[in-house]
PDB file of all heavy atoms in Angstrom:
ATOM      1  N   ARG A  10       4.742  19.640  28.280  1.00 38.00           N
ATOM      2  CA  ARG A  10       5.803  20.593  27.975  1.00 38.00           C
ATOM      3  C   ARG A  10       7.073  19.879  27.564  1.00 38.00           C
ATOM      4  O   ARG A  10       7.754  20.295  26.648  1.00 38.00           O
ATOM      5  CB  ARG A  10       6.056  21.508  29.171  1.00 38.00           C
ATOM      6  CG  ARG A  10       4.982  22.536  29.360  1.00 38.00           C
ATOM      7  CD  ARG A  10       5.330  23.491  30.459  1.00 38.00           C
ATOM      8  NE  ARG A  10       4.239  24.425  30.643  1.00 38.00           N
ATOM      9  CZ  ARG A  10       3.944  24.982  31.786  1.00 38.00           C
ATOM     10  NH1 ARG A  10       4.649  24.722  32.863  1.00 38.00           N
ATOM     11  NH2 ARG A  10       2.939  25.818  31.862  1.00 38.00           N
ATOM     12  N   HIS A  11       7.410  18.782  28.241  1.00 38.00           N
ATOM     13  CA  HIS A  11       8.613  18.036  27.863  1.00 38.00           C
ATOM     14  C   HIS A  11       8.486  17.476  26.449  1.00 38.00           C
ATOM     15  O   HIS A  11       9.431  17.477  25.685  1.00 38.00           O
ATOM     16  CB  HIS A  11       8.894  16.894  28.852  1.00 38.00           C
ATOM     17  CG  HIS A  11       9.451  17.363  30.154  1.00 38.00           C
ATOM     18  ND1 HIS A  11      10.650  18.018  30.251  1.00 38.00           N
ATOM     19  CD2 HIS A  11       8.953  17.283  31.395  1.00 38.00           C
ATOM     20  CE1 HIS A  11      10.879  18.317  31.510  1.00 38.00           C
ATOM     21  NE2 HIS A  11       9.863  17.887  32.231  1.00 38.00           N
ATOM     22  N   ALA A  12       7.298  17.005  26.102  1.00 41.00           N
ATOM     23  CA  ALA A  12       7.087  16.481  24.749  1.00 41.00           C
ATOM     24  C   ALA A  12       7.300  17.578  23.716  1.00 41.00           C
ATOM     25  O   ALA A  12       7.934  17.362  22.694  1.00 41.00           O
ATOM     26  CB  ALA A  12       5.689  15.886  24.616  1.00 41.00           C
ATOM     27  N   ILE A  13       6.804  18.760  23.984  1.00 41.00           N
ATOM     28  CA  ILE A  13       6.979  19.867  23.045  1.00 41.00           C
ATOM     29  C   ILE A  13       8.453  20.204  22.905  1.00 41.00           C
ATOM     30  O   ILE A  13       8.959  20.416  21.815  1.00 41.00           O
ATOM     31  CB  ILE A  13       6.169  21.100  23.504  1.00 41.00           C
ATOM     32  CG1 ILE A  13       4.683  20.807  23.462  1.00 41.00           C
ATOM     33  CG2 ILE A  13       6.516  22.329  22.668  1.00 41.00           C
ATOM     34  CD1 ILE A  13       4.151  20.419  22.088  1.00 41.00           C
ATOM     35  N   LYS A  14       9.192  20.203  23.987  1.00 39.00           N
ATOM     36  CA  LYS A  14      10.633  20.473  23.925  1.00 39.00           C
ATOM     37  C   LYS A  14      11.329  19.405  23.081  1.00 39.00           C
ATOM     38  O   LYS A  14      12.200  19.702  22.290  1.00 39.00           O
ATOM     39  CB  LYS A  14      11.241  20.504  25.322  1.00 39.00           C
ATOM     40  CG  LYS A  14      10.874  21.737  26.116  1.00 39.00           C
ATOM     41  CD  LYS A  14      11.488  21.672  27.494  1.00 39.00           C
ATOM     42  CE  LYS A  14      11.040  22.842  28.340  1.00 39.00           C
ATOM     43  NZ  LYS A  14      11.533  22.719  29.718  1.00 39.00           N
ATOM     44  N   THR A  15      10.927  18.139  23.245  1.00 39.00           N
ATOM     45  CA  THR A  15      11.538  17.054  22.483  1.00 39.00           C
ATOM     46  C   THR A  15      11.276  17.239  20.997  1.00 39.00           C
ATOM     47  O   THR A  15      12.169  17.111  20.176  1.00 39.00           O
ATOM     48  CB  THR A  15      10.991  15.683  22.952  1.00 39.00           C
ATOM     49  OG1 THR A  15      11.232  15.561  24.344  1.00 39.00           O
ATOM     50  CG2 THR A  15      11.661  14.562  22.207  1.00 39.00           C
ATOM     51  N   ILE A  16      10.062  17.566  20.629  1.00 40.00           N
ATOM     52  CA  ILE A  16       9.736  17.772  19.223  1.00 40.00           C
ATOM     53  C   ILE A  16      10.511  18.953  18.668  1.00 40.00           C
ATOM     54  O   ILE A  16      11.045  18.904  17.576  1.00 40.00           O
ATOM     55  CB  ILE A  16       8.217  17.941  19.044  1.00 40.00           C
ATOM     56  CG1 ILE A  16       7.515  16.609  19.349  1.00 40.00           C
ATOM     57  CG2 ILE A  16       7.882  18.384  17.627  1.00 40.00           C
ATOM     58  CD1 ILE A  16       6.022  16.704  19.427  1.00 40.00           C
ATOM     59  N   ALA A  17      10.633  20.017  19.441  1.00 38.00           N
ATOM     60  CA  ALA A  17      11.405  21.178  18.994  1.00 38.00           C
ATOM     61  C   ALA A  17      12.849  20.783  18.730  1.00 38.00           C
ATOM     62  O   ALA A  17      13.450  21.211  17.756  1.00 38.00           O
ATOM     63  CB  ALA A  17      11.327  22.297  20.025  1.00 38.00           C
ATOM     64  N   LEU A  18      13.404  19.913  19.567  1.00 38.00           N
ATOM     65  CA  LEU A  18      14.772  19.443  19.330  1.00 38.00           C
ATOM     66  C   LEU A  18      14.854  18.695  18.010  1.00 38.00           C
ATOM     67  O   LEU A  18      15.780  18.863  17.244  1.00 38.00           O
ATOM     68  CB  LEU A  18      15.235  18.532  20.469  1.00 38.00           C
ATOM     69  CG  LEU A  18      15.609  19.213  21.765  1.00 38.00           C
ATOM     70  CD1 LEU A  18      15.868  18.167  22.844  1.00 38.00           C
ATOM     71  CD2 LEU A  18      16.819  20.102  21.586  1.00 38.00           C
ATOM     72  N   PHE A  19      13.843  17.861  17.719  1.00 38.00           N
ATOM     73  CA  PHE A  19      13.836  17.122  16.456  1.00 38.00           C
ATOM     74  C   PHE A  19      13.817  18.077  15.264  1.00 38.00           C
ATOM     75  O   PHE A  19      14.540  17.915  14.309  1.00 38.00           O
ATOM     76  CB  PHE A  19      12.635  16.181  16.373  1.00 38.00           C
ATOM     77  CG  PHE A  19      12.364  15.766  14.961  1.00 38.00           C
ATOM     78  CD1 PHE A  19      13.193  14.874  14.329  1.00 38.00           C
ATOM     79  CD2 PHE A  19      11.337  16.334  14.244  1.00 38.00           C
ATOM     80  CE1 PHE A  19      12.985  14.530  13.005  1.00 38.00           C
ATOM     81  CE2 PHE A  19      11.121  15.988  12.926  1.00 38.00           C
ATOM     82  CZ  PHE A  19      11.944  15.085  12.323  1.00 38.00           C
ATOM     83  N   LEU A  20      12.995  19.077  15.338  1.00 38.00           N
ATOM     84  CA  LEU A  20      12.843  19.971  14.198  1.00 38.00           C
ATOM     85  C   LEU A  20      14.134  20.676  13.809  1.00 38.00           C
ATOM     86  O   LEU A  20      14.292  21.085  12.675  1.00 38.00           O
ATOM     87  CB  LEU A  20      11.756  21.012  14.484  1.00 38.00           C
ATOM     88  CG  LEU A  20      10.335  20.452  14.537  1.00 38.00           C
ATOM     89  CD1 LEU A  20       9.355  21.532  14.943  1.00 38.00           C
ATOM     90  CD2 LEU A  20       9.936  19.838  13.208  1.00 38.00           C
ATOM     91  N   PHE A  21      15.049  20.773  14.712  1.00 32.00           N
ATOM     92  CA  PHE A  21      16.313  21.408  14.392  1.00 32.00           C
ATOM     93  C   PHE A  21      17.396  20.398  14.026  1.00 32.00           C
ATOM     94  O   PHE A  21      18.542  20.753  13.835  1.00 32.00           O
ATOM     95  CB  PHE A  21      16.764  22.312  15.549  1.00 32.00           C
ATOM     96  CG  PHE A  21      15.863  23.486  15.697  1.00 32.00           C
ATOM     97  CD1 PHE A  21      14.952  23.550  16.734  1.00 32.00           C
ATOM     98  CD2 PHE A  21      15.877  24.508  14.761  1.00 32.00           C
ATOM     99  CE1 PHE A  21      14.087  24.630  16.857  1.00 32.00           C
ATOM    100  CE2 PHE A  21      15.020  25.587  14.874  1.00 32.00           C
ATOM    101  CZ  PHE A  21      14.130  25.637  15.922  1.00 32.00           C
ATOM    102  N   CYS A  22      17.035  19.148  13.905  1.00 38.00           N
ATOM    103  CA  CYS A  22      17.982  18.103  13.500  1.00 38.00           C
ATOM    104  C   CYS A  22      17.947  17.986  11.984  1.00 38.00           C
ATOM    105  O   CYS A  22      17.425  17.041  11.420  1.00 38.00           O
ATOM    106  CB  CYS A  22      17.599  16.779  14.160  1.00 38.00           C
ATOM    107  SG  CYS A  22      18.620  15.397  13.648  1.00 38.00           S
ATOM    108  N   THR A  23      18.488  18.967  11.281  1.00 38.00           N
ATOM    109  CA  THR A  23      18.341  19.030   9.833  1.00 38.00           C
ATOM    110  C   THR A  23      19.222  18.043   9.084  1.00 38.00           C
ATOM    111  O   THR A  23      19.025  17.826   7.904  1.00 38.00           O
ATOM    112  CB  THR A  23      18.637  20.445   9.315  1.00 38.00           C
ATOM    113  OG1 THR A  23      19.956  20.801   9.712  1.00 38.00           O
ATOM    114  CG2 THR A  23      17.627  21.436   9.861  1.00 38.00           C
ATOM    115  N   SER A  24      20.158  17.417   9.742  1.00 41.00           N
ATOM    116  CA  SER A  24      21.020  16.463   9.042  1.00 41.00           C
ATOM    117  C   SER A  24      20.411  15.066   8.991  1.00 41.00           C
ATOM    118  O   SER A  24      20.938  14.183   8.347  1.00 41.00           O
ATOM    119  CB  SER A  24      22.393  16.401   9.714  1.00 41.00           C
ATOM    120  OG  SER A  24      22.241  15.907  11.030  1.00 41.00           O
ATOM    121  N   CYS A  25      19.270  14.855   9.673  1.00 45.00           N
ATOM    122  CA  CYS A  25      18.692  13.514   9.753  1.00 45.00           C
ATOM    123  C   CYS A  25      18.243  12.987   8.398  1.00 45.00           C
ATOM    124  O   CYS A  25      18.650  11.929   7.968  1.00 45.00           O
ATOM    125  CB  CYS A  25      17.530  13.510  10.734  1.00 45.00           C
ATOM    126  SG  CYS A  25      18.016  13.968  12.408  1.00 45.00           S
ATOM    127  N   LEU A  26      17.395  13.700   7.708  1.00 48.00           N
ATOM    128  CA  LEU A  26      16.939  13.313   6.371  1.00 48.00           C
ATOM    129  C   LEU A  26      17.096  14.458   5.386  1.00 48.00           C
ATOM    130  O   LEU A  26      16.668  14.377   4.258  1.00 48.00           O
ATOM    131  CB  LEU A  26      15.472  12.879   6.395  1.00 48.00           C
ATOM    132  CG  LEU A  26      15.186  11.522   6.976  1.00 48.00           C
ATOM    133  CD1 LEU A  26      13.682  11.300   7.059  1.00 48.00           C
ATOM    134  CD2 LEU A  26      15.827  10.421   6.175  1.00 48.00           C
ATOM    135  N   GLY A  27      17.655  15.538   5.818  1.00 51.00           N
ATOM    136  CA  GLY A  27      17.812  16.710   4.977  1.00 51.00           C
ATOM    137  C   GLY A  27      16.831  17.783   5.389  1.00 51.00           C
ATOM    138  O   GLY A  27      15.721  17.498   5.830  1.00 51.00           O
ATOM    139  N   GLU A  28      17.217  19.015   5.254  1.00 51.00           N
ATOM    140  CA  GLU A  28      16.385  20.129   5.697  1.00 51.00           C
ATOM    141  C   GLU A  28      15.054  20.167   4.959  1.00 51.00           C
ATOM    142  O   GLU A  28      14.028  20.448   5.547  1.00 51.00           O
ATOM    143  CB  GLU A  28      17.133  21.441   5.493  1.00 51.00           C
ATOM    144  CG  GLU A  28      16.412  22.611   6.092  1.00 51.00           C
ATOM    145  CD  GLU A  28      17.240  23.877   6.066  1.00 51.00           C
ATOM    146  OE1 GLU A  28      18.465  23.796   5.982  1.00 51.00           O
ATOM    147  OE2 GLU A  28      16.619  24.938   6.123  1.00 51.00           O
ATOM    148  N   ASP A  29      15.040  19.873   3.675  1.00 52.00           N
ATOM    149  CA  ASP A  29      13.787  19.911   2.921  1.00 52.00           C
ATOM    150  C   ASP A  29      12.752  18.952   3.484  1.00 52.00           C
ATOM    151  O   ASP A  29      11.574  19.247   3.507  1.00 52.00           O
ATOM    152  CB  ASP A  29      14.034  19.576   1.447  1.00 52.00           C
ATOM    153  CG  ASP A  29      14.694  20.717   0.706  1.00 52.00           C
ATOM    154  OD1 ASP A  29      14.702  21.845   1.230  1.00 52.00           O
ATOM    155  OD2 ASP A  29      15.207  20.469  -0.392  1.00 52.00           O
TER     156      ASP A  29
END
Side-chain angles (χ1 to χ4, degrees):
R10 286 185 183 150
H11 285 298
I13 295 301
K14 287 179 185 175
T15 303
I16 292 171
L18 285 173
F19 162 73
L20 290 175
F21 292 105
C22 176
T23 58
S24 64
C25 299
L26 285 174
E28 188 172 338
D29 286 345

